[in-house]
């Protein structure tokens, strides 16, 4: 074959190969433009970026510590326990190299048999671990804050720092009512510490970072937002918690919740948890409360609060209507305690306290906080609503006594008397044995009285601030209220030595 034919054959083969390649490429759907295929871009979303908490954590972590608490636990008995812990009858007759004797000796922690009783006694007296929580330094010289319930009952305290150093601490003071405590570490070093924030500027939705020692794991950081302010969780009269949704668990107690500036906005103290673990509802003592209490503890070791000496309850709309109050605000006095500043000043059951030193109080909690913030011995002006008008009286506050409440359970047999019917109120009553009030003997289950919780055995002691001795006193008070255009009467009842007010509608009979 000539060279010319070979060249033509080669050209035809190359053309055929190219044709097949092109057809194959087209068959697989590729687009050919004489250049490499163009691929689509990866998906990217332009969204607001959540700020990192790393800078905050780096700065504040050295100020947060683990608080370990120990207490002296007395032995159950002088002989150190039952036969199991002593080794059983005949233990002393076993050979010293007996595995059984060695087991019981090691179980009890004895190094040798000699002097066992003395070492056992000393060991029982040593402080044992009883609690573990969190805390944080608030000064360069070693003052730190934690919860009272963390240190309560402790006799020895150890602070474990972020770098692992363990330092002894001493208890400076506690305040059970706000669940706060102050410890002090004496050391030559200068401690990293943090400041309290102005929590009046904290808003629902603000970021918070919680740092603590949950379950003894060591320094742990969680984040969330402020879920609510001013929460009352029934812990005491000074409840005013921040609610946050950062993960807070056992061991976080006493630890701080920071804002993004590294300031303490609250001290983690309680959680709502049906299961015992975090469910995203935690409560923190606001910085403003903590700062005031902590400063007092550092100075005096305890907190003294003003005392008015009244038992109070909220004013609802029914009570407000029965008293002619325009708004359902203030705190109605159910009893002025014996020997209290309130009783000496003439405050009595049925009065509604509406202001202290000219500052309005909207609720019993606000009244308790307002009075508690005033130093004992100071004269204050208390405004009350009585008899359809406002009155002002001056008194000198006492010192709030210890939380222990004394109760009297004196009870007597009820006098046998003919029951009377207060049909309009759905009640059947009889005079009390001492002549002070009416004992409820029956309650119509379909009445307003039943709806408001009045029960057989309750004692009606007054109605619209008038003492009640018989059923006619009740009907007279109801008649007067109707003439005054009132829709309800205010009934004071006592039960188990506790007094409260109930507003009952009138004009239905």
């Amino acid at each position: 074959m000539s060279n010319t034919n070979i060249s033509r054959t080669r050209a035809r083969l190359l053309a055929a190969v190219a044709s097949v390649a092109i057809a194959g490429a087209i068959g697989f759907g590729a687009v050919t433009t004489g250049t490499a295929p163009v691929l689509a871009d990866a998906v990217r979303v332009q969204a607001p970026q959540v700020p990192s908490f790393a800078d905050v954590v780096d700065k504040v972590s050295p100020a947060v510590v683990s608080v370990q608490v120990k207490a002296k636990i007395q032995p159950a008995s002088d002989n150190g326990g039952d036969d199991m812990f002593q080794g059983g009858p005949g233990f002393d007759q076993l050979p010293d190299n007996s595995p059984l004797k060695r087991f019981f000796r090691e179980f009890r922690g004895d190094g040798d048999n000699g002097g066992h009783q003395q070492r056992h006694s000393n060991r029982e007296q040593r402080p044992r671990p009883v609690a573990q929580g969190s805390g944080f330094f608030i000064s360069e010289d070693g003052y730190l804050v934690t919860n009272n319930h963390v240190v309560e009952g402790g006799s020895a305290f150890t602070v474990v720092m972020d770098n692992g150093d363990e330092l002894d601490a001493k208890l400076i003071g506690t305040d059970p009512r706000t669940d706060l405590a102050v410890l002090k570490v004496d050391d030559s070093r200068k401690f990293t510490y943090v400041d309290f924030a102005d929590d009046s500027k904290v808003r629902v939705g603000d970021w918070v970072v919680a740092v603590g020692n949950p379950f003894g794991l060591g320094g742990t950081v969680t984040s969330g937002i402020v879920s609510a302010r001013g929460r009352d969780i029934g812990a005491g009269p000074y409840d005013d918690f921040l609610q946050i949704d950062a993960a807070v668990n056992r061991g976080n107690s006493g630890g701080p919740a920071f804002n993004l500036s590294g300031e303490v906005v609250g001290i983690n103290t309680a959680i709502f948890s049906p299961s015992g673990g975090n469910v995203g509802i935690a409560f923190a003592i606001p910085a403003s409360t903590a700062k005031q209490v902590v400063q007092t503890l550092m100075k005096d070791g305890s907190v003294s609060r003003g005392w008015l000496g009244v038992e109070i309850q909220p004013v609802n709309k029914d009570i407000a209507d029965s008293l002619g109050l325009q708004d359902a605000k203030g705190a109605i006095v159910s009893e002025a305690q014996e020997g209290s500043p309130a009783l000496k000043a003439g405050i009595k059951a049925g009065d509604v306290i509406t202001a202290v030193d000219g500052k309005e109080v909207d609720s019993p909690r606000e009244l308790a906080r307002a009075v508690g913030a005033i130093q004992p011995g100071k004269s204050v002006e208390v405004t009350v609503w009585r008899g359809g008008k406002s009155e002002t009286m001056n008194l000198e506050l006492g010192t709030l006594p210890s939380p222990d409440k004394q109760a009297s359970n004196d009870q007597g047999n009820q006098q046998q008397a003919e029951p009377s019917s207060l049909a309009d109120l759905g009640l059947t009553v009889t005079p009390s044995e001492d002549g002070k009030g009416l004992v409820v003997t029956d309650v119509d289950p379909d009445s307003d009285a039943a709806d408001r919780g009045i029960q057989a055995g309750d004692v009606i002691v007054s109605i619209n601030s008038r003492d009640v001795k018989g059923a006619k006193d009740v009907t007279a008070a109801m008649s007067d209220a109707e003439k005054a255009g009132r829709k309800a009467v205010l009934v004071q009842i006592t039960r188990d030595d506790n007094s409260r007010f109930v507003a009952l509608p009138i004009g239905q009979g």
Side-chain angles (χ1 to χ4, degrees):
M1 183 180 293
S2 65
N3 290 335
T4 300
N5 292 334
I6 294 173
S7 297
R8 289 176 180 172
T9 302
R10 183 179 298 168
R12 285 196 297 269
L13 289 172
L14 290 174
V17 171
S19 174
V20 171
I22 292 172
I26 293 175
F28 282 99
V31 178
T32 59
T33 60
T35 60
V38 177
L39 302 176
D41 290 338
V43 173
R44 286 188 174 87
V45 177
Q46 296 297 325
Q49 298 298 307
V50 177
S52 171
F53 305 117
D55 290 341
V56 176
V57 174
D58 284 344
K59 294 292 186 181
V60 304
S61 289
V64 182
V65 300
S66 170
V67 178
Q68 298 180 354
V69 183
K70 297 180 180 180
K72 291 182 179 179
I73 300 177
Q74 297 296 329
S77 62
D78 292 339
N79 63 10
D82 56 22
D83 286 342
M84 173 182 174
F85 288 92
Q86 291 297 326
F91 174 77
D92 292 336
Q93 279 71 46
L94 291 172
D96 288 339
N97 61 352
S98 166
L100 184 61
K101 190 171 186 176
R102 187 165 59 250
F103 166 78
F104 279 110
R105 184 181 296 136
E106 292 175 356
F107 188 83
R108 294 181 310 197
D110 301 340
D112 54 52
N113 201 29
H116 156 257
Q117 292 293 340
Q118 181 64 38
R119 282 195 308 277
H120 180 73
S121 175
N122 290 341
R123 187 174 64 253
E124 290 292 349
Q125 295 297 323
R126 289 179 191 159
R128 302 283 187 87
V130 293
Q132 185 165 266
S134 304
F136 57 97
F137 285 108
I138 56 169
S139 72
E140 191 177 59
D141 58 347
Y143 283 96
L144 63 102
V145 179
T146 186
N147 281 146
N148 172 72
H149 76 258
V150 171
V151 302
E152 190 173 21
S155 60
F157 310 94
T158 301
V159 168
V160 182
M161 300 184 62
D162 184 56
N163 62 4
D165 289 352
E166 296 188 9
L167 303 171
D168 291 335
K170 61 181 179 181
L171 186 63
I172 300 300
T174 63
D175 181 37
R177 286 187 170 91
T178 56
D179 197 20
L180 290 168
V182 174
L183 297 169
K184 176 71 164 61
V185 175
D186 290 323
D187 196 87
S188 58
R189 76 183 75 184
K190 294 182 178 180
F191 295 97
T192 300
Y193 67 97
V194 291
D195 287 328
F196 289 106
D198 180 0
D199 62 56
S200 66
K201 298 179 181 178
V202 173
R203 300 184 302 165
V204 173
D206 282 349
W207 284 108
V208 288
V209 180
V211 185
N213 182 36
F215 304 110
L217 296 173
T220 300
V221 179
T222 56
S223 67
I225 61 171
V226 177
S227 302
R229 294 176 56 96
R231 287 299 197 211
D232 182 355
I233 63 174
Y238 307 108
D239 281 16
D240 184 28
F241 292 102
L242 295 176
Q243 180 183 327
I244 64 177
D245 71 345
V248 172
N249 290 286
R250 289 176 295 179
N252 275 110
S253 290
F258 294 101
N259 60 21
L260 297 188
S261 297
E263 299 170 317
V264 178
V265 297
I267 300 173
N268 302 318
T269 191
I271 62 173
F272 175 78
S273 176
S275 64
N278 168 63
V279 294
I281 301 178
F283 302 99
I285 303 167
S288 56
T289 299
K291 184 176 182 179
Q292 180 183 13
V293 171
V294 165
Q295 288 175 344
T296 304
L297 290 176
M298 291 171 64
K299 179 182 177 182
D300 302 324
S302 61
V303 178
S304 296
R305 293 184 172 87
W307 179 56
L308 186 58
V310 289
E311 294 182 10
I312 49 180
Q313 70 181 75
V315 176
N316 57 30
K317 188 178 184 305
D318 290 338
I319 291 177
D321 290 342
S322 70
L323 293 174
L325 272 170
Q326 184 175 358
D327 299 314
K329 295 181 179 180
I332 185 168
V333 177
S334 57
E335 183 181 355
Q337 297 172 358
E338 190 69 29
S340 67
L343 187 63
K344 294 176 182 178
I347 295 177
K348 59 184 181 180
D351 289 345
V352 177
I353 299 175
T354 58
V356 175
D357 277 344
K359 183 178 179 181
E360 291 187 359
V361 291
D362 292 340
S363 65
R365 185 175 59 167
E366 283 194 14
L367 176 61
R369 291 173 57 198
V371 173
I374 302 173
Q375 285 297 313
K378 183 179 178 180
S379 295
V380 296
E381 185 180 82
V382 178
T383 304
V384 302
W385 180 265
R386 175 190 295 174
K389 61 181 180 179
S390 184
E391 298 183 14
T392 300
M393 52 192 69
N394 294 304
L395 55 87
E396 183 178 297
L397 292 179
T399 301
L400 184 67
S402 64
D404 297 335
K405 182 180 179 181
Q406 295 181 346
S408 172
N409 293 320
D410 295 338
Q411 298 180 357
N413 295 325
Q414 298 295 338
Q415 175 181 335
Q416 297 297 323
E418 187 67 25
S420 300
S421 175
L422 296 173
D424 286 352
L425 298 178
L427 299 173
T428 302
V429 296
T430 187
S432 64
E433 182 181 6
D434 57 8
K436 297 179 180 179
L438 297 172
V439 179
V440 177
T441 58
D442 189 43
V443 182
D444 182 350
D446 296 324
S447 66
D448 291 304
D451 291 342
R452 286 159 174 76
I454 295 180
Q455 303 174 4
D458 290 347
V459 179
I460 299 174
V461 295
S462 74
I463 184 166
N464 283 354
S465 299
R466 299 180 185 177
D467 291 340
V468 170
K469 296 182 179 178
K472 63 180 181 179
D473 295 328
V474 177
T475 55
M478 292 170 61
S479 177
D480 291 343
E482 279 187 296
K483 292 177 182 178
R486 304 278 173 80
K487 297 179 180 180
V489 289
L490 189 66
V491 180
Q492 182 185 11
I493 64 173
T494 61
R495 180 190 302 167
D496 298 330
D497 294 324
N498 292 316
S499 176
R500 69 185 182 101
F501 286 92
V502 176
L504 293 179
I506 59 176
Q508 300 175 0

